[in-house]
Amino acid sequence: MSHTLYAFMTGIGFQLALMICFCGTVLKLLLFFKRVARKDRAFLTFFSFKYAGRSLLCHLVPFISRTSRIHPEMTTATAIFHGAVLSLPLFYSAHGVLLADSGLPRLPRFPEPLSDILALAALGALLFFLGRRLFLRTVRYISTPGDHLLLFSLIALFASGLWARFQMPGFPEATLIHLMAGNLLIASIPFTRLSHIFYVLLTRGYAGSEFGGVRMAKDW
Amino acid sequence: MNEADQRIEAIHDEGLESGLAQFDEDRVKKIIKKVIEEEASPRLDAYLSSCVHCGLCSDSCHYYLSRDKDPAYSPAGKVKESLLPLLRGKKITPETLKKAAIISYTHCNLCRRCTMYCPLGVDIAYLISLVRRICYLCGVVPLYIQDTANSHSATFNQMWIKNDEWLDCLYWQEEEAREELPELTIPIEREGADVMYSVIGPEPKFRAQLIYQAAVIMEKAGINWTFPGTRGWDNSDMCMYTGDYEMMGRLKKAHFETAMRLKVDRIVMGECGHAFRSVFDTGNRYLGWKTPPIPVVHAVEFYHEILTQERITIKKKLATPVTFHDPCNIVRGRGLHEMAREVVGICCDTFIEMEPNREHNYCCGAGGGVINCGPPFKNERVLGNRVKAEQLLAAKAKGAEIVVTPCHNCHGGLEDIIHHYGIDMEIKFLSDIIYETMEI
Amino acid sequence: MPIAQGTSPIIWDTSSGSMSCMIPCPVDAPSERFPFWKATASRDGTRIAIPIQSSPEECQLCTWTLGEPEPTRSEPVLTIADLQPIADQDFSFLCQTDEGWTAVARNVPWEFQAEFAWNLRVSAGGNAACETQDDRRYTPMVNGNVWSESYENTYGLTLAATGPGSAAVVQTTPIAEGDLTTFLSGCFTLGTEKGPWSGRYMGAFTPVISSDGTVAAVDARITQQDYTIAVNDQCWPTTWPSVWAPVIHPQGTSVWAPVKESRGWTLACDGEVAWPGRYTQLWEPVFAPNGRRIAAVASPEFGQWTLALDGDLMKTRVDGYLRKPIFSPCGSRVGCTGMHKGKAVLLIDDHPMGDLFDKVWDPVFSQYGSHAAAKIKRGPWYTVFLDGMAIERRFIWMRNPAFTPDGMHLIICGIEKSGAHYHYTREFIALK
Ligand code: SF4
Ligand code: SF4
């Protein structure tokens, strides 16, 4: 049973998740641009790659923007978490093997200790996020059940991943949980808050375009 | 019930109440549907689905900071309390709408500071404007700002000024100014002039000396300029802030039409921030003009130009130490902060910065039409901007005695703050200090 | 405030050669301060009038006539405003004396004195009208006669081109500051010399009146969110979220106006949508004098402007703006002015002409449309742009050119500098 599930999760399930993620994203973007063309011509007129790029850069690179400087802990946690969640799926060695098995070209692989440290740090960052959601009045105020669910899925993803990696007791189940969480998260990207992964290019980009191109002001 | 909610509950405003008396849930829902489907940019969806509820925008908002970090005043918190119940709530009650109206009209200055602090670039001011649009279409708008919008509809200016009163004020100021400069004219309807000078309603109504000063500055700088003699002289726009975009379009058309009819090269506008926003990116776009059809130059830019080109000269710099308050709409809205500082530098001996400044400056609390919502909301506005008072006090401690700010709204906002927190400081326009220090 | 827009074709005295007279620069006024911008030429071009400050408090209207060496000077008054030509050789203006404001038309002051007068209008038919305020009551006047009623406020007084009619937006009830209820109940309507309409609107904006004065219309705000067009005291049955100023068919048979549908702006006629297209913007509709064609300024796409002629878009697009189109008297040609890439353009029948001027005024066409001319400004000089070419003259002031009714000549009137003085010239340019 667990073998079939494992095979499914690393095979068709994974492909399906990627497909859903890809198609969903394309669909969302198509819809966005269709509506923009109809209702918000200013968006297309004023979007500037130069200023969008400038703004994205200043907000992505930690400690450039003022907002990142006045929240150093959050900036550090965010940087670590995003670094890990974007790199480990591709460059962690065990993932690399699986990816190569499914026909993808061989990618460079992180040394084990680096992956371990990254994953642990990301888990720490997630717990920090959880702490903020639970204990910071302002963040608690705007948090929704969906936010908590997402955070728990991510914690589950990293925790089970580490569990499996260190082959602690019950690790086959942990592996399954890891795969399941991973696939679900990938599939849910276009339909949840995770859509900020692609929307940020448009939202931050547009803010940057308006500030830089029209209003001649910095926005970081 | 939290404190913010209690304050909202306690508000009694005739405009809101009379609109709510007509409340009909089906109609409200239809309006919301129409706004979302026909008008709202898809950015709305992008913002709402990508906001990760991280709360990083909170520390950017002066309301939040001044209210001891009460989450109900955080930008994302305000969206949660105003927009989301309208979009996602199954049932919409008069209370929902009232709360949305109070938050959107009086707890947010649409100052766009939070957009700089949200890593994802969520434009909270846009979301809050959408709430205002919905409230306006439902007829639920605070009395004072609606009255101003009515004045716009009736007279095309902010202050119910009739055409003869406008002309009378210009003749009167010309007469006054001739006592100082016998050659001076205030040219009215000079077709083909280089510059059309436009102002906001309160200038002829309460601050006619600003028209006088502008005329002296224009005369001394040798500018070929004119005032319009018809509707269109007023560049202000509270309709943009109530959500009455149709009327906003009508006002801006009248303004630009007047400039086109007078065949001027550009419009120079007085020291006002919201009017700049209205002519520079909001009103013109609504009408289909990408940029203002006639170039618009804010007073700061204009003064900078004539001072750096030495068209006027400064006789003796002002000795009193000054500080400068950056108006959101021309700083985050046009990047005029450096020019303004240069102008202040040319006219004043000692300049003391407030912190944070430039694009990061806190709003005066009056912007976005908030001060125009009138006395029922004044307390909230002043208490909601304690951080500004702290900024001013810090500047004062370093010696600043005058705060210069080139915006009428900022004057109103800062005046109330200075009064409430007992800060002994004078507020001046750039034209005040230029007029005071220039060679006449 | 009205601005003299060229001349209407009338019988010219002579079309032979040019005439000019000298305007000596007043000894006490530095030349650059001489208020040429206030100058106005009579319709036939034989006279030119300039209000000149005679002392810091007073001014006089100085009128030079071709062939006469000395100007005539009016009595000194406090202010002269809204100077414009009336009939063939005369002027009309508003003036302020110690007793108040009055209007002077054809050299005759009207009998009334008001606290204030403004917006002097002169029709092609030779009627004059203005808005006045006395004792906080607002009353328009036509040819020296007050309207039958006075109001809380008036706005946009307009005169029928040939007939005697006049119309203005009037406010019938006072609105106290902060009184939303009264405002919502509707305090505005259209008034004519005979009295106000019976309908009351929350707002009314641009009154228009047919040339014989029998049809009047206005764009009205019916409720806070609904607009429509009211014609002779009757609202169209349909409302829209917004509308722009209407235009009346030259024969007075129909009224047209741009209206905002959910998919964009379009043109409606007598309450029904008449054009198939929907545009980002559509305004300033104009009829050809014969009523066979209608043109309007349209924005087919955000930031792009063109003319729509009978519902079809022209090809030329500008990125700045376009002004109200102008038809030739015969209706076969249409032109308009505007701005493209920050430069003034003149559009004649879909052909853009630019680069030759910094500013351009509305074009005029000869009777049968074979010639087009416009006043232009290049650097500090004014001249005339005729059929695609600029005439090599350097006027420091000029009025709009006009064609003689026979279409044989273009008449230009302007002031040139010669030595220490200025010359006013009226010149007939023979057309091929
Ligand atoms: S007041 Fe300014 S910072 Fe606060 S929510 Fe509104 S736009 Fe954002
Ligand atoms: S608006 Fe931006 S900063 Fe504020 S909670 Fe949402 S994502 Fe975070």
Side-chain angles (χ1 to χ4, degrees):
Chain A
M1 170 66 197
S2 67
H3 264 297
T4 22
L5 206 55
Y6 181 87
F8 174 78
M9 286 293 179
T10 52
I12 297 182
F14 175 60
Q15 283 162 5
L16 208 64
L18 280 184
M19 276 298 267
I20 293 174
C21 170
F22 178 76
C23 295
T25 305
V26 169
L27 190 78
K28 283 266 171 174
L29 288 176
L30 276 179
L31 269 178
F32 181 89
F33 283 103
K34 192 178 149 226
R35 292 193 190 131
V36 149
R38 185 164 65 85
K39 296 197 289 184
D40 189 7
R41 300 298 304 211
F43 183 93
L44 297 177
T45 313
F46 295 107
F47 197 92
S48 134
F49 287 101
K50 177 175 154 202
Y51 291 112
R54 184 178 81 166
S55 176
L56 279 160
L57 204 73
C58 291
H59 278 275
L60 285 183
V61 179
F63 303 109
I64 293 187
S65 70
R66 191 165 184 272
T67 190
S68 69
R69 280 183 280 122
I70 57 178
H71 298 107
E73 15 27 81
M74 181 63 174
T75 308
T76 315
T78 316
I80 290 174
F81 167 71
H82 282 91
V85 83
L86 292 175
S87 65
L88 288 178
L90 299 174
F91 307 122
Y92 167 52
S93 57
H95 291 160
V97 173
L98 279 174
L99 290 174
D101 282 353
S102 48
L104 281 167
R106 193 192 144 94
L107 293 166
R109 287 173 192 170
F110 284 164
E112 292 299 294
L114 176 64
S115 300
D116 297 346
I117 292 169
L118 262 180
L120 273 168
L123 191 61
L126 283 170
L127 292 175
F128 172 76
F129 294 156
L130 182 66
R132 284 181 94 244
R133 281 225 187 287
L134 295 178
F135 305 115
L136 276 192
R137 190 159 74 122
T138 307
V139 187
R140 190 171 63 223
Y141 189 80
I142 49 177
S143 295
T144 59
D147 297 329
H148 288 289
L149 189 67
L150 192 66
L151 201 48
F152 277 114
S153 319
L154 284 164
I155 291 173
L157 179 77
F158 276 90
S160 58
L162 282 165
W163 197 287
R165 151 84 179 92
F166 291 108
Q167 310 233 329
M168 288 187 275
F171 74 87
E173 285 75 23
T175 309
L176 283 179
I177 292 174
H178 183 72
L179 289 170
M180 189 122 65
N183 283 341
L184 276 177
L185 280 167
I186 290 173
S188 70
I189 286 174
F191 312 105
T192 60
R193 307 230 162 279
L194 295 177
S195 57
H196 73 265
I197 298 170
F198 56 88
Y199 271 146
V200 67
L201 301 174
L202 304 174
T203 52
R204 184 78 254 163
Y206 184 63
S209 308
E210 284 271 11
F211 268 83
V214 180
R215 303 193 207 117
M216 312 303 181
K218 296 195 301 186
D219 69 327
W220 60 88
Chain B
M1 193 186 277
N2 64 28
E3 275 177 45
D5 279 349
Q6 281 167 10
R7 287 185 203 119
I8 289 174
E9 190 90 326
I11 292 280
H12 181 87
D13 177 276
E14 290 289 334
L16 298 178
E17 299 309 328
S18 67
L20 289 169
Q22 321 281 323
F23 184 85
D24 166 9
E25 195 182 349
D26 287 340
R27 188 172 150 256
V28 171
K29 282 190 168 158
K30 259 191 217 133
I31 288 171
I32 295 172
K33 190 161 175 263
K34 185 172 163 269
V35 169
I36 300 309
E37 281 177 6
E38 288 176 19
E39 297 181 3
S41 161
R43 284 189 285 135
L44 165 69
D45 197 40
Y47 292 148
L48 292 184
S49 42
S50 53
C51 168
V52 289
H53 297 161
C54 64
L56 284 177
C57 50
S58 313
D59 285 322
S60 67
C61 184
H62 48 283
Y63 281 96
Y64 172 81
L65 295 174
S66 305
R67 286 297 193 173
D68 300 324
K69 306 204 167 193
D70 180 341
Y73 290 95
S74 74
K78 288 182 269 198
V79 170
K80 177 190 170 213
E81 295 295 342
S82 61
L83 182 62
L84 297 188
L86 296 180
L87 298 192
R88 303 196 173 148
K90 281 211 179 58
K91 182 146 183 63
I92 295 174
T93 63
E95 289 71 41
T96 328
L97 199 58
K98 180 176 173 187
K99 188 173 175 188
I102 292 178
I103 292 175
S104 64
Y105 286 114
T106 69
H107 291 187
C108 173
N109 296 109
L110 310 181
C111 75
R112 295 171 174 151
R113 191 172 193 262
C114 42
T115 307
M116 299 171 59
Y117 287 74
C118 163
L120 299 177
V122 171
D123 188 348
I124 300 283
Y126 176 74
L127 300 177
I128 296 289
S129 304
L130 268 182
V131 181
R132 292 189 183 189
R133 172 73 173 159
I134 292 170
C135 293
Y136 159 73
L137 291 173
C138 297
V140 180
V141 181
L143 174 93
Y144 280 78
I145 193 171
Q146 183 57 55
D147 186 58
T148 310
N150 290 351
S151 165
H152 279 305
S153 173
T155 62
F156 280 52
N157 67 67
Q158 214 183 330
M159 295 261 133
W160 298 98
I161 297 165
K162 296 172 181 175
N163 216 86
D164 55 315
E165 296 168 335
W166 162 245
L167 291 169
D168 200 25
C169 172
L170 297 183
Y171 288 132
W172 167 48
Q173 286 311 309
E174 183 180 71
E175 211 178 299
E176 298 269 301
R178 275 188 184 162
E179 282 171 22
E180 190 174 359
L181 284 170
E183 294 282 288
L184 182 141
T185 36
I186 293 189
I188 304 173
E189 290 284 310
R190 176 177 193 163
E191 200 196 39
D194 298 337
V195 163
M196 172 175 114
Y197 189 61
S198 70
V199 297
I200 66 168
E203 293 207 11
K205 188 102 172 177
F206 304 123
R207 299 191 203 248
Q209 91 277 4
L210 290 177
I211 291 177
Y212 176 124
Q213 288 171 5
V216 171
I217 294 172
M218 292 284 186
E219 168 82 16
K220 282 283 138 192
I223 305 292
N224 175 357
W225 69 296
T226 188
F227 261 128
T230 58
R231 282 186 180 185
W233 57 263
D234 177 301
N235 49 32
S236 70
D237 184 358
M238 274 308 128
C239 298
M240 159 176 79
Y241 285 148
T242 57
D244 182 356
Y245 298 149
E246 288 75 17
M247 201 60 223
M248 164 180 82
R250 213 165 261 279
L251 297 173
K252 295 307 114 178
K253 179 166 192 278
H255 186 60
F256 287 122
E257 276 281 330
T258 307
M260 292 172 194
R261 178 174 58 75
L262 289 170
K263 297 252 178 271
V264 295
D265 294 326
R266 51 191 187 152
I267 299 170
V268 171
M269 49 180 300
E271 296 178 53
C272 183
H274 92 272
F276 186 76
R277 181 188 189 127
S278 165
V279 288
F280 183 72
D281 66 32
T282 313
N284 56 308
R285 287 186 191 178
Y286 171 81
L287 291 170
W289 282 311
K290 229 161 93 174
T291 51
I294 305 277
V296 175
V297 175
H298 189 270
V300 168
E301 241 172 309
F302 180 68
Y303 295 149
H304 184 264
E305 177 186 312
I306 56 176
L307 280 166
T308 51
Q309 291 177 359
E310 294 179 9
R311 299 184 76 143
I312 52 175
T313 40
I314 299 301
K315 193 168 55 196
K316 188 174 180 319
K317 285 189 178 193
L318 195 71
T320 328
V322 301
T323 184
F324 184 79
H325 164 81
D326 294 271
C328 311
N329 284 322
I330 60 163
V331 167
R332 272 189 288 285
R334 186 54 178 166
L336 297 183
H337 39 274
E338 297 305 343
M339 279 189 191
R341 279 168 177 74
E342 280 171 46
V343 171
V344 171
I346 294 174
C347 303
C348 306
D349 275 330
T350 319
F351 174 59
I352 293 158
E353 280 285 10
M354 280 194 274
E355 296 294 332
N357 53 47
R358 298 179 167 84
E359 288 100 335
H360 291 279
N361 191 39
Y362 296 121
C363 174
C364 64
V370 173
I371 194 171
N372 305 74
C373 292
F377 307 95
K378 180 173 169 194
N379 216 23
E380 178 71 90
R381 170 165 57 82
V382 174
L383 296 177
N385 210 353
R386 197 183 63 212
V387 287
K388 187 87 250 170
E390 285 160 5
Q391 270 190 310
L392 289 169
L393 281 167
K396 169 96 192 151
K398 289 189 209 154
E401 286 176 36
I402 294 173
V403 46
V404 178
T405 186
C407 170
H408 279 271
N409 258 301
C410 295
H411 271 243
L414 295 183
E415 233 162 64
D416 289 337
I417 287 170
I418 281 179
H419 187 244
H420 179 89
Y421 295 94
I423 309 166
D424 181 22
M425 274 177 123
E426 211 186 331
I427 314 171
K428 282 187 189 274
F429 287 100
L430 278 178
S431 78
D432 290 330
I433 55 167
I434 293 174
Y435 175 73
E436 244 175 277
T437 55
M438 73 191 266
E439 192 94 52
I440 294 180
Chain C
M1 215 162 281
I3 280 157
Q5 292 287 356
T7 57
S8 64
I10 48 167
I11 311 301
W12 308 106
D13 49 351
T14 162
S15 55
S16 56
S18 306
M19 294 170 87
S20 69
C21 70
M22 191 174 79
I23 303 175
C25 184
V27 265
D28 49 346
S31 59
E32 75 276 8
R33 299 200 67 91
F34 204 66
F36 286 115
W37 63 274
K38 292 183 182 167
T40 300
S42 65
R43 282 212 178 128
D44 66 0
T46 56
R47 303 176 76 204
I48 178 161
I50 309 176
I52 291 175
Q53 205 74 33
S54 45
S55 73
E57 291 83 36
E58 287 180 328
C59 64
Q60 287 177 306
L61 188 70
C62 297
T63 315
W64 285 265
T65 307
L66 293 176
E68 285 176 25
E70 286 300 315
T72 53
R73 288 170 192 274
S74 70
E75 288 293 306
V77 291
L78 297 178
T79 317
I80 291 177
D82 287 16
L83 175 67
Q84 51 199 296
I86 186 167
D88 288 356
Q89 292 207 321
D90 281 326
F91 297 98
S92 55
F93 55 91
L94 298 172
C95 73
Q96 185 194 17
T97 60
D98 288 326
E99 279 89 63
W101 284 80
T102 191
V104 177
R106 306 183 197 221
N107 303 321
V108 188
W110 291 353
E111 264 168 30
F112 82 98
Q113 299 284 342
E115 259 171 61
F116 217 96
W118 68 100
N119 189 19
L120 178 69
R121 316 287 301 197
V122 171
S123 74
N127 295 310
C130 67
E131 292 174 63
T132 70
Q133 177 269 116
D134 215 18
D135 232 1
R136 310 311 305 146
R137 296 294 293 172
Y138 290 75
T139 328
M141 305 206 59
V142 184
N143 295 335
N145 307 314
V146 287
W147 271 16
S148 61
E149 281 186 44
S150 53
Y151 302 93
E152 284 303 315
N153 195 5
T154 57
Y155 169 70
L157 175 69
T158 175
L159 272 175
T162 50
S166 56
V169 167
V170 298
Q171 182 183 343
T172 53
T173 323
I175 306 168
E177 280 186 34
D179 184 356
L180 301 188
T181 324
T182 309
F183 178 84
L184 290 176
S185 71
C187 302
F188 299 87
T189 190
L190 195 106
T192 68
E193 64 283 1
K194 298 187 200 81
W197 286 354
S198 62
R200 291 291 177 274
Y201 319 120
M202 198 174 292
F205 305 100
T206 317
V208 292
I209 184 163
S210 63
S211 56
D212 62 355
T214 52
V215 183
V218 70
D219 41 343
R221 187 180 193 187
I222 304 298
T223 73
Q224 228 162 356
Q225 290 90 13
D226 299 296
Y227 294 75
T228 192
I229 303 295
V231 184
N232 284 354
D233 207 3
Q234 204 73 63
C235 281
W236 283 358
T238 326
T239 64
W240 289 272
S242 196
V243 302
W244 294 121
V247 58
I248 303 172
H249 189 278
Q251 268 95 57
T253 45
S254 55
V255 175
W256 298 61
V259 298
K260 191 180 189 197
E261 294 266 291
S262 63
R263 283 186 301 119
W265 285 86
T266 187
L267 202 67
C269 166
D270 293 336
E272 279 172 40
V273 169
W275 277 9
R278 297 290 183 275
Y279 310 106
T280 302
Q281 191 54 268
L282 184 75
W283 54 32
E284 308 295 347
V286 178
F287 268 105
N290 58 17
R292 295 218 190 97
R293 303 168 88 193
I294 184 166
V297 174
S299 166
E301 230 175 283
F302 183 65
Q304 302 263 307
W305 298 86
T306 187
L307 288 190
L309 191 59
D310 297 322
D312 297 323
L313 294 176
M314 287 196 169
K315 284 194 200 67
T316 312
R317 301 277 190 273
V318 304
D319 66 2
Y321 64 84
L322 286 178
R323 304 266 291 138
K324 206 186 233 331
I326 311 277
F327 277 100
S328 60
C330 60
S332 62
R333 304 188 70 186
V334 62
C336 79
T337 61
M339 192 68 85
H340 183 57
K341 299 212 182 300
K343 296 215 61 169
V345 284
L346 173 64
L347 221 68
I348 304 237
D349 294 331
D350 217 0
H351 297 298
M353 303 176 190
D355 279 345
L356 289 158
F357 36 74
D358 302 325
K359 292 184 186 183
V360 57
W361 275 253
D362 282 344
V364 285
F365 294 93
S366 60
Q367 188 68 21
Y368 302 104
S370 33
H371 302 284
K375 168 177 157 184
I376 58 171
K377 192 174 183 205
R378 288 202 284 186
W381 315 111
Y382 294 93
T383 186
V384 164
F385 192 67
L386 174 63
D387 296 331
M389 303 235 293
I391 292 174
E392 282 310 318
R393 293 292 289 270
R394 290 176 157 198
F395 293 105
I396 59 155
W397 170 90
M398 81 175 298
R399 79 145 193 226
N400 272 1
F403 289 96
T404 50
D406 58 9
M408 304 289 282
H409 292 88
L410 178 74
I411 173 173
I412 56 177
C413 303
I415 299 173
E416 284 162 302
K417 182 146 173 68
S418 61
H421 301 298
Y422 299 90
H423 265 94
Y424 168 69
T425 313
R426 181 183 70 152
E427 207 166 297
F428 285 86
I429 295 177
L431 304 165
K432 276 163 223 103

